[in-house]
Amino acid sequence: MDRLLIRGGKKLNGTVEISGSKNAALPILVATLLTDEPCILHRVPNLRDVRTTLKILEYLGKKTTYQNNTVTVEANGKLKNDLPYELVKQMRASFWVAGPLLARFHEAQIPLPGGCAIGVRPVDIHLKGFEKMGASCQTESGNVLIRAEKLNSAKIVLRFPSVGATQNLLMCACLVPGETVLENVAKEPEIDDVIAFLNKMGANIHADDKGRLIVHGVNALHGAEHTVVADRIESGSYMLAAAATRGEVTVKNCVPEHNAILLEDLQEAGFALDIGETFVHVHSYEGDIKPLRIRTAPYPGFATDLQAPWMTLMTLCCGTAEIDEDIFENRFMHAPELVRMGADIATEKSLARITGVKTLSAAHVQASDLRGGFALVMAGLCANGETEIERVYHIDRGYENLEEKLTRLGADIRRYNPDRDDF
Ligand code: EPZ
């Protein structure tokens, strides 16, 4: 399996271009199941999870092509409405095929996505919403069979603004006659991008003045072309890497307002930023990094996906910083690895307390999840010496061309596979 070798202690300098959003591209690719007509998607990042989603679409009966970040999805015979565990276990988001398959075929048989490193990650909110629309959900031996004689429009209040449940229920409601109202929905920018694509396909979705999503069902959806929104987690990750290495970096082709809270917190921590329409310039800063207390929350709150990279920045603060991880129950796996690199972090349940140290030291560490893996990359960039990171496949799920982008910023980073390369 691939590993990363990073010789740290160098400031990042220069410009990095942000890719299309993984967390918008995945649901948008799944939404192509709602039509038999061709769909063309641009700025689809070349990531492991995207390739897994294309495999899922092919398994279900679509024909896909993928060239220079453009994906075409076309019909290729009758769609299946079941998924094998092999595919679902690779990526939790595969559960989102339920909505489109239920809407079109009134039946879907899908393995329950197991938990993952960051938490149990149930799908009760998804299933309750389908039941409100008239479906029955039977779970047995790890699969869920979702069936409906007839689907009816409904008023659905999500008990928690789940991103995936919002998207799954939206995709189903598009083809359900009548007016479906979704309340207490997720408001992440990726949801807006999915809604934009669905409306381009002929859906009728809008938000009312109370922030509820109103869906007027239509008989069928047609093909559409769409360019995926910039990845706000990737852009935030590179801003944090620039800040942690005291570098001077322009993060281009991003949507600064999607990182509003992070920009505020970075400035409060002492960093000067120039914020443009489509870029953020992080100025080099040699002063003390102020310790902050942050709490992760649904958008527009502090993104849980940026908690781990933020923690790495706080390992170098001048005092004691605190992080409340209020979204996932087990999202501090990067903390013990950072401690092995010299950080001073104590975690208890959802609270992490980070007491700043002067420098981090290189070590042999392993990634346990996607964003925790990036946090270790950041630590390696800051640490003196050569850090080796194992299980890079986690990081490959969400950061397109990671080494190329970091090398272009002046990092000394290379990928190797001990079973194949003889470094
Ligand atoms: C999406 O996951 C993202 N993944 C995650 O990004 C992100 O961390 C998360 O939203 C929160 O922003 C994709 O978009 C592919 P949720 P999702 O449903 O939809 C609980 C990354 O690093 N919950 O909003 O699975 C759940 O357990 C990934 O790119 C229920 O209890 O997240 C969690 O504690 C990691 N029941 C919380 O809600 C449900 O039915 C938020 O989950 C659904 C969720």
Side-chain angles (χ1 to χ4, degrees):
M1 286 204 219
D2 287 358
R3 297 182 184 183
L4 287 174
L5 284 175
I6 303 173
R7 185 162 290 287
K10 298 154 71 92
K11 294 181 179 182
L12 296 183
N13 279 296
T15 298
V16 61
E17 308 237 345
I18 297 306
S19 303
S21 162
K22 163 179 92 79
N23 290 351
L26 300 185
I28 287 172
L29 284 166
V30 168
T32 63
L33 292 167
L34 287 164
T35 181
D36 288 333
E37 293 186 14
C39 292
I40 303 174
L41 304 169
H42 303 289
R43 202 180 183 187
V44 178
N46 184 8
L47 299 168
R48 199 166 138 238
D49 278 5
V50 166
R51 295 189 292 274
T52 302
T53 305
L54 295 181
K55 265 193 249 162
I56 286 167
L57 292 179
E58 298 260 343
Y59 172 86
L60 289 172
K62 289 286 190 178
K63 179 171 166 303
T64 71
T65 61
Y66 190 16
Q67 206 113 39
N68 307 328
N69 296 110
T70 291
V71 170
T72 58
V73 182
E74 295 166 279
N76 188 20
K78 192 171 174 325
L79 281 181
K80 293 194 187 94
N81 64 354
D82 70 292
L83 264 191
Y85 179 61
E86 263 323 294
L87 284 172
V88 173
K89 75 175 186 183
Q90 292 177 39
M91 186 187 66
R92 167 185 169 69
S94 41
F95 190 73
W96 301 352
V97 305
L101 296 180
L102 181 63
R104 290 194 67 188
F105 309 111
H106 287 194
E107 179 167 323
Q109 161 127 349
I110 308 182
L112 284 166
C116 69
I118 64 178
V120 173
R121 305 188 73 179
V123 289
D124 59 296
I125 303 173
H126 302 240
L127 301 182
K128 278 219 173 42
F130 292 141
E131 286 168 351
K132 282 285 246 180
M133 287 195 261
S136 69
C137 302
Q138 264 123 12
T139 307
E140 59 180 66
S141 47
N143 290 306
V144 60
L145 177 59
I146 310 169
R147 255 201 291 234
E149 286 307 307
K150 187 172 166 306
L151 287 166
N152 328 295
S153 58
K155 183 169 180 298
I156 302 169
V157 182
L158 280 69
R159 71 170 172 79
F160 177 86
S162 153
V163 170
T166 302
Q167 287 162 348
N168 223 342
L169 296 172
L170 265 178
M171 289 192 277
C172 183
C174 283
L175 296 179
V176 176
E179 177 182 274
T180 294
V181 178
L182 299 180
E183 199 166 323
N184 193 34
V185 292
K187 296 186 170 35
E188 274 67 3
E190 294 77 35
I191 308 272
D192 296 338
D193 214 33
V194 172
I195 291 171
F197 178 62
L198 289 169
N199 284 342
K200 281 182 188 172
M201 293 173 81
N204 180 342
I205 305 169
H206 71 278
D208 70 6
D209 51 9
K210 297 193 189 82
R212 302 179 306 174
L213 290 177
I214 314 296
V215 188
H216 290 279
V218 294
N219 292 332
L221 294 182
H222 48 72
E225 186 162 3
H226 184 73
T227 297
V228 174
V229 70
D231 192 318
R232 65 190 167 100
I233 305 302
E234 188 196 22
S235 56
S237 300
Y238 280 99
M239 292 175 207
L240 286 162
T245 61
R246 311 309 193 123
E248 179 103 17
V249 171
T250 304
V251 177
K252 273 181 69 179
N253 298 350
C254 64
V255 183
E257 79 195 59
H258 290 168
N259 289 116
I261 290 274
L262 175 70
L263 300 182
E264 261 175 46
D265 290 343
L266 272 174
Q267 290 170 95
E268 199 181 324
F271 294 89
L273 307 175
D274 298 338
I275 301 169
E277 275 295 295
T278 60
F279 73 87
V280 171
H281 180 83
V282 182
H283 286 280
S284 182
Y285 170 66
E286 298 296 349
D288 286 347
I289 298 173
K290 317 275 179 310
L292 267 61
R293 172 159 195 168
I294 64 124
R295 174 185 296 277
T296 62
Y299 191 86
F302 194 101
T304 175
D305 293 349
L306 289 172
Q307 177 259 109
W310 174 266
M311 184 183 282
T312 298
L313 178 68
M314 287 294 115
T315 65
L316 300 166
C317 77
C318 63
T320 299
E322 293 185 332
I323 296 175
D324 284 284
E325 172 50 66
D326 283 357
I327 301 290
F328 288 101
E329 67 269 26
N330 187 34
R331 203 167 194 177
F332 289 146
M333 271 83 51
H334 43 286
E337 295 300 289
L338 291 171
V339 167
R340 295 184 58 244
M341 296 180 73
D344 179 353
I345 305 169
T347 61
E348 195 194 336
K349 294 204 177 68
S350 68
L351 178 69
R353 194 163 282 121
I354 306 113
T355 303
V357 293
K358 276 262 159 290
T359 55
L360 295 173
S361 43
H364 190 150
V365 291
Q366 67 177 31
S368 42
D369 65 277
L370 163 54
R371 308 303 173 181
F374 189 87
L376 297 178
V377 169
M378 273 176 65
L381 293 169
C382 299
N384 299 320
E386 184 166 82
T387 294
E388 179 162 346
I389 302 175
E390 292 191 18
R391 300 189 180 175
V392 175
Y393 59 85
H394 286 295
I395 309 173
D396 291 340
R397 299 186 59 171
Y399 291 93
E400 185 181 46
N401 302 332
L402 179 75
E403 301 99 276
E404 292 81 352
K405 292 187 179 186
L406 285 174
T407 302
R408 218 169 291 144
L409 289 172
D412 177 347
I413 178 171
R414 58 204 160 101
R415 179 185 292 254
Y416 88 108
N417 181 327
D419 310 325
R420 191 191 56 216
D421 312 330
D422 47 0
F423 270 96

